[in-house]
Amino acid sequence: MIRLSLSLLTIIFVLSFNNSSSAQIIFSNLTENPALLSVKNTELEERNYISSQRLVILAADTQKVCIQRPDLGFFDTLYYASSNVPVDIDFSIDLNCVTISAHANAPVSSVALPFAFVTSDGNILSYTIYVDIVKPLVLPFFDDFAYNSKIPDPARWVDKNVFINQTMAVDPPSIGVATFDGLNSNGTPYGGGFNRADYLTSNYIDLSGITANDSVYLSYFLQAKGNTYNHQQRDSIELEFKNDKGEWKSVASYKGISPNNPSDYIPPFQQYNIVVDKSFYHRGFQFRFVNYNYRLGVYSTWHLDYVKMVVNQKPSLNLMDIAFIKPPNKFLKTYSAIPYKQLSGHENEELANTTEIELYNHFLETAEDLVDPRLNIKEITTGTQIYEGALVNLVSQLNPAAGINRFSNAFDAGQIADAIASVPAGQLPLIFRTTYTFDQDQETPLLEENNKAFSDTEVGYTMAYDDGTAELNIAAEANNSTKSQIAVKFHLNEGDSLRAIQIHFPRLFDDVSKQLFNIKIWVGDLNKEEADYTYQLQKPIYADGIFDTLQGFTTYPLTDDLYDSIPKPLYIPAGDYYVGWQQFTVSSAGQFIPVGFDRNYKGGEAITYYKSTGDWKPLSELSTSPLLKGVPMIRAKFQNSLLTSATKDLDKVQSLSFYPNPSNGTIWLDKKLELPVNSTYKIYDAMGNKVQSGRMESQLNISNLQGNLYYIQVMKADGQLFGTSKIMVIR
């Protein structure tokens, strides 16, 4: 049976079907992520500022920022780490806090203030506060988040806690929403129990010129949960205004979803309208939204859209706008990313042959036509134009009915197959961008951003189904007698070498980084007695623990179990193969390793299989629940598959030894090894990108490499591989 584990906090799929060594974890962009905490109003301000965060300030204004770290000692010292004195601002340091004041005549500018802590044990921790001196905005203010960014537009908002996305909400008024959850801007849980989580704070807005006879209206749309996890009623969101004394006042609050609703209930977007009290008519006015939850992950979400502040225009449901509400379907029929080798020569099988269009007509009083709706496909790496034509041509589609409209139009994929085949493959990966656009004569310039929607498809080395954003999570169950497994089916048109697996581990209410799982790969037949490749006892590593990311993937290169330092690709012939994992750790809390689950992928439940004690079964046979419709976020990497033989014999290749390892500068080859004459070397990162090469000597300078794991290949003069090694660079 399928057991859905429901708690007051979240929903995690724990699949069960009952009849009665160290991992090579690859990251990049290593950063520390210390936090800065604003304390201008200690009763309300609990947001986390990440290192190198932006502080927005008006001329003649003052703000105070404190650096908070749990490991700070009594003798730690904060100091200004530069000899350059800023021109337009003053600052003072008091213990771990910095008070920053902009001069009254300070021009619009950006100033970087470097600070550092000297800890009691001698360590130096660096911080940079970027101070933006700004002019206040003037009305109208509008944002429907219909732009290609994961963070809010800095011209309109001063912080970046919320996640801008186009997939987590259901039927928004416009494409793109701001999602509030329990993660900060680099994807790490706030922690600390039930409290305030994400903030979305407007830039300063000058209301000082608004007269007492004028009315200022703020309107917005909110949806609880959407495509993500369930709510408690206490999972609320609030709207606050800032008065002329710098104090934040609550003006509206909205509760989460009632427990009387079923788990699959999704409330629609609701429009709310607020009249701004005249006591807030001042030069430094701001408004902000803040949500409350347990601050431990992506759940209890709220989705905000179509935020509008205007003078003397009372809001109504007639928004006089036509907007896309979802991105276009992918360039490919089945995958969101595909290796070039699997597409080349197989365009007719792999290319999508329909356009899937979803738009919202907000004109409720008059009929409005779409003007020149277009479909454009372009490869943006090489600039190659692939296709340009009409998006819709039916009268009913050119004049959409009021409300939500969904169209599915067929087009001839064969028309673009030749154009795709002509794109040069020397700059992999290629990115094919599918764009939908239209014009609308009656709209104001504020509303033009939602007249365009696009999606990108990668053609390079990766095979993936998901769109990169996890709405839910799926997990296998384990007990003392059964270790359950989940696998996803893929298909190769041409034989190739699988080199790595990528998995997205989302943040939830329980840290599972100490649990263990096995990576498994099956070639051809999922029901064979043993998997063709098993990488045992791996640990899930949260990508945000190492570098800034909102939806990061952890990469596990395939290696020989006996010789961990040697990459060992798995050759897969043309046909089906399956990539999956097996839960190994038995959790007393009943919380197992979650893997991201993309609810926007149609039909994923038919290619996702589960096994406990019986036979493998697709999710579509195990449950009809709408929560099990989608695909796990697990990907296959075939990096450099066009350049490296898939059948190379590695048995005769030496395992070389370099020291020191780890290193931060020069490495030496073990003196016991004799190098071939005129040998050369190549250094690759974990994803197969060549980062350094040259003539092989007994010592190599690697000081230019970033902190990460790398593979070194040494070649003989005839090009044959002599030996390999693994080296860790630390910075």
Side-chain angles (χ1 to χ4, degrees), residues 192 264 420 515 570:
D264 59 354
I420 295 169
Q515 293 195 30
L570 175 66

Side-chain angles (χ1 to χ4, degrees), residues 599-621:
R599 293 191 70 186
N600 291 293
Y601 187 85
K602 296 180 180 179
E605 61 276 11
I607 57 173
T608 303
Y609 294 80
Y610 171 79
K611 180 180 180 180
S612 181
T613 57
D615 296 331
W616 285 97
K617 298 286 186 181
L619 297 188
S620 56
E621 292 185 14

